[in-house]
Amino acid sequence: MIKETVKASKLNSFVSIGACRAVAERRRVIRAQTWLAGFLILLSFPNAFAESDFSAFWQKFKSAVIAGDKATIAEMTKFPLPMPYEVKAVKNKEEFLRRYNEIFKGEANAAQCFVSAKPRKESAGRYEIYCPFKDTPDDRENAPIRFIFESSKSGWKFTGLDNVNE
């Protein structure tokens, strides 16, 4: 009888050790699942906030263009900056500062246009602003000058200028 009691006692201790291990394993699995779910939720936030991030970028960019703040605009620009058909790309910040008037006062008056321009979402990582020619600033039906903005690892950037008629 004593041998049976000792055997039962040893068996119960092994069972309780096994049960503890099973509980610990379940907790580890639940923790991993919770972490994974949280991670997946966080991954979805950049897309959820992309529009509001662009909105803040756009307000700052628009204000800088209206104020003629070339240095701020240059910091918000990705180089090289593609230009319209047959116009040489802007290679760097120094060239950008030299060619500022060509970019923002060339075919369109960006400062005037940006006051009321509405960004058009082309994709999760791209917005465009269309402006009319500076000679016909009120002709919103014919607004072929496109300012392109894209999301990058370092945030939103001005990434191109185009005349969609060319």
Side-chain angles (χ1 to χ4, degrees), residues 6 15 25 27 61 76 92 98 103 115 126 128 135 137 141:
V6 170
V15 169
E25 182 62 26
R27 285 183 181 159
F61 189 87
M76 301 174 81
N92 54 42
R98 271 195 322 275
I103 299 165
V115 169
R126 182 178 171 133
E128 297 176 351
D135 297 335
E141 295 298 316

Side-chain angles (χ1 to χ4, degrees), residues 72-110:
T72 297
I73 300 164
E75 292 301 319
M76 301 174 81
T77 301
K78 180 182 173 197
F79 299 103
L81 180 69
M83 296 291 284
Y85 181 69
E86 293 190 351
V87 177
K88 193 174 176 183
V90 178
K91 295 178 187 173
N92 54 42
K93 183 179 178 178
E94 293 74 27
E95 188 175 338
F96 177 87
L97 295 172
R98 271 195 322 275
R99 294 176 63 188
Y100 178 85
N101 287 343
E102 175 188 349
I103 299 165
F104 294 99
K105 298 177 183 180
E107 291 185 294
N109 181 336

Side-chain angles (χ1 to χ4, degrees), residues 10-71:
K10 285 182 180 178
L11 185 60
N12 284 341
S13 66
F14 285 125
V15 169
S16 48
I17 290 172
C20 287
R21 285 184 181 155
V23 168
E25 182 62 26
R26 270 188 260 134
R27 285 183 181 159
R28 194 173 2 186
V29 168
I30 290 170
R31 247 184 278 134
Q33 289 172 337
T34 303
W35 182 86
L36 180 61
F39 180 73
L40 292 174
I41 289 169
L42 287 175
L43 282 178
S44 70
F45 280 132
N47 291 335
F49 292 119
E51 196 164 325
S52 62
D53 286 345
F54 179 78
S55 181
F57 167 85
W58 171 240
Q59 290 305 314
K60 182 177 179 181
F61 189 87
K62 173 172 86 168
S63 296
V65 170
I66 292 168
D69 185 350
K70 298 175 187 180

